[in-house]
Amino acid sequence: MTSFLQAVLPEIYMGLSSLLVHKLRTMLTMLGMIFGVGAVVAMLAITAGVEKEMLSYIDLLGVNNIIIEAKEAVDRNELQQRRAVSPGMTFRDYRAIMENTQGLEKATPRKRFKPLKVLPKTAAEPPMLIGVEPDYRDIQSLKLVEGRFFNDDENATAAPVCVLGETTKVNLLGYEPAVGKYVKINDTWLQVVGVMASQSGGDTDVEGVEILSRNNLVVSPLRTVMFRFEDGNSYLKDEIDGIYLRVKPGTNSIETAAVINAILAAVHKDAGDYTVTVPAGLLEQKKRTSDIFKIVMICIAGISLLVGGIGIMNIMLATVLERTREIGIRRAIGARQSDIVRQFLTEAVMISIIGGFLGIVFGVTLAQIIAAAAGWSTVVTFTSIAVAFGVSVGIGLLFGIYPAVQAAKLDPIEAIRYE
């Protein structure tokens, strides 16, 4: 190890000295490496951030779930045209799915309302009221920070109970324990039996599926919502507006969704008033898209690195030409061809190493700027930095070998006489 350092350190010192003599030329040579490595780091940070964000949304939907949503009409005329063909989403759909689809583990219809008034009063946005069956907790993998979820008996009797989202609880009841207290939705008082854990992020939309933030929800038994909050002008509305399904472990959710879609298409006569979403399918699709995007970006970054490598080769060939006499003198006093190769190869690698470090700084900064300007999520990982830096060093070695070998092949006598 000591002998290796003794052999390498002089080359490193000589390489640094040579690079510092021509600072501007060295910096211009590094630009290709800086932009190439920076592009790789920023690209991987963006794709990792997008993938992480998408995975979090897919996780909210549930990878083993199937979600059926009633599609809202743009206006009343469109709604009347649909009703002339299809009755909309109903409990009949739910029963047909449960009776004719195998591999389902849990299921619940959903009915939601936007309350007109809420007590205690709040200046914040009113919460969304949804009615579901108790299986909703397991399907959505809900966690409670207070109390419990409502049970089958409370759903069967349309009990006036509810579970609050974290934001709803704070807006209506403050930071004190909420279980046992009451909130009034429209004209109905509901007793709070539980509070859901906070969910990161707000309402969003994934492939047409609206993901309601659990933070601003009031969740009640389905029968409670149907019997206590149904208005008299609902003949054109869907009887239910959503169905959540979870398939059993080992069941192909994509194939199951195809069966469900066929059942609904027959009942709704292809009215186009519903959507069937499979998070597992979305995940596969997003991964394919992400992989394609990553390949394209790597190719673009690779071109930048290739240009940087050509720049290194070009400058090293020019350096060999400039230092022909120096090479001849070194060979004359006993330097071997391997010493000359190592000397020039060290310089090429040093250019790529320094350029790689600067490129990493540039890439991380670029990723942060993109995240701040575009609102995208970016994740800079150790793997992305290691890959980018390793590629830059490899480029330096690859494109530095030819100039180093050319320098070592110079005839010492001719080199000394070179002017």
Side-chain angles (χ1 to χ4, degrees), residues 3 11 21 26 35 37 93 120 129-130 164 177 221 241 290 312 329 356 359 416 418:
S3 60
E11 270 78 14
V21 168
T26 301
F35 290 138
V37 172
D93 296 328
L129 170 67
I130 68 169
L164 303 181
D241 51 44
S290 177
I312 290 176
I329 294 172
I416 291 174
Y418 183 81

PDB file of all heavy atoms in Angstrom, residues 3 11 21 26 35 37 93 120 129-130 164 177 221 241 290 312 329 356 359 416 418:
ATOM      1  N   SER A   3       3.989   1.522  -1.050  1.00  0.00           N
ATOM      2  CA  SER A   3       4.672   1.647  -2.336  1.00  0.00           C
ATOM      3  C   SER A   3       3.722   2.166  -3.422  1.00  0.00           C
ATOM      4  O   SER A   3       4.125   2.935  -4.308  1.00  0.00           O
ATOM      5  CB  SER A   3       5.255   0.298  -2.754  1.00  0.00           C
ATOM      6  OG  SER A   3       4.224  -0.672  -2.879  1.00  0.00           O
ATOM      7  N   GLU A  11       2.303  11.451  -9.371  1.00  0.00           N
ATOM      8  CA  GLU A  11       1.485  11.676 -10.556  1.00  0.00           C
ATOM      9  C   GLU A  11       0.308  12.604 -10.243  1.00  0.00           C
ATOM     10  O   GLU A  11      -0.051  13.459 -11.050  1.00  0.00           O
ATOM     11  CB  GLU A  11       0.946  10.344 -11.093  1.00  0.00           C
ATOM     12  CG  GLU A  11       1.831   9.662 -12.112  1.00  0.00           C
ATOM     13  CD  GLU A  11       3.011   8.963 -11.467  1.00  0.00           C
ATOM     14  OE1 GLU A  11       2.987   8.797 -10.238  1.00  0.00           O
ATOM     15  OE2 GLU A  11       3.940   8.581 -12.189  1.00  0.00           O
ATOM     16  N   VAL A  21      -2.055  25.105 -14.177  1.00  0.00           N
ATOM     17  CA  VAL A  21      -1.353  26.011 -15.100  1.00  0.00           C
ATOM     18  C   VAL A  21      -2.325  26.542 -16.156  1.00  0.00           C
ATOM     19  O   VAL A  21      -2.252  27.704 -16.561  1.00  0.00           O
ATOM     20  CB  VAL A  21      -0.161  25.278 -15.761  1.00  0.00           C
ATOM     21  CG1 VAL A  21       0.390  26.110 -16.927  1.00  0.00           C
ATOM     22  CG2 VAL A  21       0.929  25.030 -14.748  1.00  0.00           C
ATOM     23  N   THR A  26      -8.873  23.942 -18.411  1.00  0.00           N
ATOM     24  CA  THR A  26      -9.325  22.813 -17.592  1.00  0.00           C
ATOM     25  C   THR A  26     -10.800  22.947 -17.240  1.00  0.00           C
ATOM     26  O   THR A  26     -11.570  21.973 -17.321  1.00  0.00           O
ATOM     27  CB  THR A  26      -8.490  22.744 -16.295  1.00  0.00           C
ATOM     28  OG1 THR A  26      -7.105  22.597 -16.636  1.00  0.00           O
ATOM     29  CG2 THR A  26      -8.935  21.565 -15.439  1.00  0.00           C
ATOM     30  N   PHE A  35     -22.137  19.191 -16.671  1.00  0.00           N
ATOM     31  CA  PHE A  35     -23.516  19.169 -17.154  1.00  0.00           C
ATOM     32  C   PHE A  35     -24.039  17.734 -17.281  1.00  0.00           C
ATOM     33  O   PHE A  35     -25.214  17.474 -16.998  1.00  0.00           O
ATOM     34  CB  PHE A  35     -23.609  19.885 -18.508  1.00  0.00           C
ATOM     35  CG  PHE A  35     -23.416  21.371 -18.413  1.00  0.00           C
ATOM     36  CD1 PHE A  35     -22.658  22.042 -19.347  1.00  0.00           C
ATOM     37  CD2 PHE A  35     -23.989  22.101 -17.390  1.00  0.00           C
ATOM     38  CE1 PHE A  35     -22.470  23.418 -19.264  1.00  0.00           C
ATOM     39  CE2 PHE A  35     -23.813  23.471 -17.288  1.00  0.00           C
ATOM     40  CZ  PHE A  35     -23.047  24.128 -18.220  1.00  0.00           C
ATOM     41  N   VAL A  37     -23.060  14.930 -15.545  1.00  0.00           N
ATOM     42  CA  VAL A  37     -23.316  14.368 -14.215  1.00  0.00           C
ATOM     43  C   VAL A  37     -24.495  15.076 -13.562  1.00  0.00           C
ATOM     44  O   VAL A  37     -25.353  14.438 -12.938  1.00  0.00           O
ATOM     45  CB  VAL A  37     -22.049  14.488 -13.333  1.00  0.00           C
ATOM     46  CG1 VAL A  37     -22.363  14.094 -11.890  1.00  0.00           C
ATOM     47  CG2 VAL A  37     -20.938  13.608 -13.886  1.00  0.00           C
ATOM     48  N   ASP A  93     -76.225  -2.654  -8.697  1.00  0.00           N
ATOM     49  CA  ASP A  93     -74.871  -2.882  -9.213  1.00  0.00           C
ATOM     50  C   ASP A  93     -74.012  -3.577  -8.167  1.00  0.00           C
ATOM     51  O   ASP A  93     -73.265  -4.521  -8.472  1.00  0.00           O
ATOM     52  CB  ASP A  93     -74.218  -1.552  -9.605  1.00  0.00           C
ATOM     53  CG  ASP A  93     -74.933  -0.866 -10.749  1.00  0.00           C
ATOM     54  OD1 ASP A  93     -75.488  -1.576 -11.602  1.00  0.00           O
ATOM     55  OD2 ASP A  93     -74.935   0.375 -10.784  1.00  0.00           O
ATOM     56  N   PRO A 120     -70.054  22.511  15.513  1.00  0.00           N
ATOM     57  CA  PRO A 120     -69.707  23.923  15.728  1.00  0.00           C
ATOM     58  C   PRO A 120     -69.258  24.588  14.425  1.00  0.00           C
ATOM     59  O   PRO A 120     -68.685  23.942  13.553  1.00  0.00           O
ATOM     60  CB  PRO A 120     -68.560  23.853  16.729  1.00  0.00           C
ATOM     61  CG  PRO A 120     -68.713  22.516  17.405  1.00  0.00           C
ATOM     62  CD  PRO A 120     -69.248  21.601  16.365  1.00  0.00           C
ATOM     63  N   LEU A 129     -68.998  14.708   3.952  1.00  0.00           N
ATOM     64  CA  LEU A 129     -69.634  13.611   4.676  1.00  0.00           C
ATOM     65  C   LEU A 129     -69.737  12.412   3.741  1.00  0.00           C
ATOM     66  O   LEU A 129     -70.260  12.535   2.625  1.00  0.00           O
ATOM     67  CB  LEU A 129     -71.028  14.021   5.145  1.00  0.00           C
ATOM     68  CG  LEU A 129     -71.907  12.896   5.717  1.00  0.00           C
ATOM     69  CD1 LEU A 129     -71.340  12.376   7.035  1.00  0.00           C
ATOM     70  CD2 LEU A 129     -73.343  13.381   5.895  1.00  0.00           C
ATOM     71  N   ILE A 130     -69.223  11.259   4.159  1.00  0.00           N
ATOM     72  CA  ILE A 130     -69.379  10.049   3.361  1.00  0.00           C
ATOM     73  C   ILE A 130     -69.996   8.954   4.226  1.00  0.00           C
ATOM     74  O   ILE A 130     -69.711   8.858   5.424  1.00  0.00           O
ATOM     75  CB  ILE A 130     -68.047   9.567   2.744  1.00  0.00           C
ATOM     76  CG1 ILE A 130     -67.084   9.062   3.836  1.00  0.00           C
ATOM     77  CG2 ILE A 130     -67.396  10.652   1.922  1.00  0.00           C
ATOM     78  CD1 ILE A 130     -65.878   8.323   3.260  1.00  0.00           C
ATOM     79  N   LEU A 164     -64.218  11.190  12.648  1.00  0.00           N
ATOM     80  CA  LEU A 164     -63.728  12.432  12.062  1.00  0.00           C
ATOM     81  C   LEU A 164     -62.306  12.294  11.537  1.00  0.00           C
ATOM     82  O   LEU A 164     -61.498  11.548  12.092  1.00  0.00           O
ATOM     83  CB  LEU A 164     -63.754  13.561  13.098  1.00  0.00           C
ATOM     84  CG  LEU A 164     -65.089  13.886  13.768  1.00  0.00           C
ATOM     85  CD1 LEU A 164     -64.914  15.055  14.736  1.00  0.00           C
ATOM     86  CD2 LEU A 164     -66.159  14.198  12.730  1.00  0.00           C
ATOM     87  N   PRO A 177     -59.709  15.921  23.416  1.00  0.00           N
ATOM     88  CA  PRO A 177     -60.270  14.640  22.955  1.00  0.00           C
ATOM     89  C   PRO A 177     -61.680  14.817  22.404  1.00  0.00           C
ATOM     90  O   PRO A 177     -62.504  15.534  22.987  1.00  0.00           O
ATOM     91  CB  PRO A 177     -60.254  13.781  24.217  1.00  0.00           C
ATOM     92  CG  PRO A 177     -59.124  14.347  25.026  1.00  0.00           C
ATOM     93  CD  PRO A 177     -59.147  15.823  24.773  1.00  0.00           C
ATOM     94  N   PRO A 221     -71.915   5.639   9.198  1.00  0.00           N
ATOM     95  CA  PRO A 221     -72.466   4.412   8.621  1.00  0.00           C
ATOM     96  C   PRO A 221     -73.284   4.719   7.369  1.00  0.00           C
ATOM     97  O   PRO A 221     -73.951   5.757   7.298  1.00  0.00           O
ATOM     98  CB  PRO A 221     -73.340   3.849   9.745  1.00  0.00           C
ATOM     99  CG  PRO A 221     -72.742   4.411  10.994  1.00  0.00           C
ATOM    100  CD  PRO A 221     -72.250   5.771  10.631  1.00  0.00           C
ATOM    101  N   ASP A 241     -72.617   6.572  -5.033  1.00  0.00           N
ATOM    102  CA  ASP A 241     -71.690   7.216  -5.963  1.00  0.00           C
ATOM    103  C   ASP A 241     -70.319   6.561  -6.001  1.00  0.00           C
ATOM    104  O   ASP A 241     -69.396   7.070  -6.640  1.00  0.00           O
ATOM    105  CB  ASP A 241     -71.542   8.707  -5.640  1.00  0.00           C
ATOM    106  CG  ASP A 241     -71.233   8.959  -4.184  1.00  0.00           C
ATOM    107  OD1 ASP A 241     -70.384   8.248  -3.620  1.00  0.00           O
ATOM    108  OD2 ASP A 241     -71.850   9.872  -3.597  1.00  0.00           O
ATOM    109  N   SER A 290     -42.484   5.520 -16.193  1.00  0.00           N
ATOM    110  CA  SER A 290     -41.300   6.019 -15.498  1.00  0.00           C
ATOM    111  C   SER A 290     -40.028   5.413 -16.081  1.00  0.00           C
ATOM    112  O   SER A 290     -39.015   6.113 -16.240  1.00  0.00           O
ATOM    113  CB  SER A 290     -41.405   5.691 -14.004  1.00  0.00           C
ATOM    114  OG  SER A 290     -40.244   6.094 -13.312  1.00  0.00           O
ATOM    115  N   ILE A 312     -12.414  15.666 -23.003  1.00  0.00           N
ATOM    116  CA  ILE A 312     -11.235  15.230 -22.247  1.00  0.00           C
ATOM    117  C   ILE A 312     -10.187  14.640 -23.185  1.00  0.00           C
ATOM    118  O   ILE A 312      -8.997  14.951 -23.085  1.00  0.00           O
ATOM    119  CB  ILE A 312     -11.653  14.195 -21.171  1.00  0.00           C
ATOM    120  CG1 ILE A 312     -12.460  14.876 -20.058  1.00  0.00           C
ATOM    121  CG2 ILE A 312     -10.419  13.510 -20.567  1.00  0.00           C
ATOM    122  CD1 ILE A 312     -13.001  13.929 -19.017  1.00  0.00           C
ATOM    123  N   ILE A 329      12.211  13.933 -22.160  1.00  0.00           N
ATOM    124  CA  ILE A 329      13.171  14.062 -21.065  1.00  0.00           C
ATOM    125  C   ILE A 329      12.899  13.011 -19.995  1.00  0.00           C
ATOM    126  O   ILE A 329      13.828  12.363 -19.483  1.00  0.00           O
ATOM    127  CB  ILE A 329      13.122  15.481 -20.476  1.00  0.00           C
ATOM    128  CG1 ILE A 329      13.617  16.500 -21.506  1.00  0.00           C
ATOM    129  CG2 ILE A 329      13.957  15.564 -19.203  1.00  0.00           C
ATOM    130  CD1 ILE A 329      13.442  17.941 -21.096  1.00  0.00           C
ATOM    131  N   GLY A 356     -16.952  15.573 -11.857  1.00  0.00           N
ATOM    132  CA  GLY A 356     -18.024  14.783 -11.260  1.00  0.00           C
ATOM    133  C   GLY A 356     -18.530  15.383  -9.964  1.00  0.00           C
ATOM    134  O   GLY A 356     -19.745  15.475  -9.734  1.00  0.00           O
ATOM    135  N   GLY A 359     -20.408  18.415 -10.798  1.00  0.00           N
ATOM    136  CA  GLY A 359     -21.660  18.006 -11.431  1.00  0.00           C
ATOM    137  C   GLY A 359     -22.695  17.542 -10.421  1.00  0.00           C
ATOM    138  O   GLY A 359     -23.891  17.810 -10.573  1.00  0.00           O
ATOM    139  N   ILE A 416      12.710  14.560 -27.469  1.00  0.00           N
ATOM    140  CA  ILE A 416      13.617  15.578 -26.916  1.00  0.00           C
ATOM    141  C   ILE A 416      13.925  16.641 -27.973  1.00  0.00           C
ATOM    142  O   ILE A 416      14.047  17.826 -27.656  1.00  0.00           O
ATOM    143  CB  ILE A 416      14.919  14.912 -26.422  1.00  0.00           C
ATOM    144  CG1 ILE A 416      14.622  14.056 -25.188  1.00  0.00           C
ATOM    145  CG2 ILE A 416      15.970  15.968 -26.068  1.00  0.00           C
ATOM    146  CD1 ILE A 416      15.815  13.254 -24.721  1.00  0.00           C
ATOM    147  N   TYR A 418      11.910  17.611 -30.229  1.00  0.00           N
ATOM    148  CA  TYR A 418      10.686  18.286 -30.664  1.00  0.00           C
ATOM    149  C   TYR A 418      10.678  19.730 -30.189  1.00  0.00           C
ATOM    150  O   TYR A 418      10.982  20.027 -29.043  1.00  0.00           O
ATOM    151  CB  TYR A 418       9.456  17.550 -30.125  1.00  0.00           C
ATOM    152  CG  TYR A 418       8.142  18.141 -30.580  1.00  0.00           C
ATOM    153  CD1 TYR A 418       7.619  17.835 -31.843  1.00  0.00           C
ATOM    154  CD2 TYR A 418       7.440  19.010 -29.769  1.00  0.00           C
ATOM    155  CE1 TYR A 418       6.417  18.361 -32.262  1.00  0.00           C
ATOM    156  CE2 TYR A 418       6.246  19.568 -30.198  1.00  0.00           C
ATOM    157  CZ  TYR A 418       5.723  19.236 -31.436  1.00  0.00           C
ATOM    158  OH  TYR A 418       4.549  19.788 -31.843  1.00  0.00           O
TER     159      TYR A 418
END
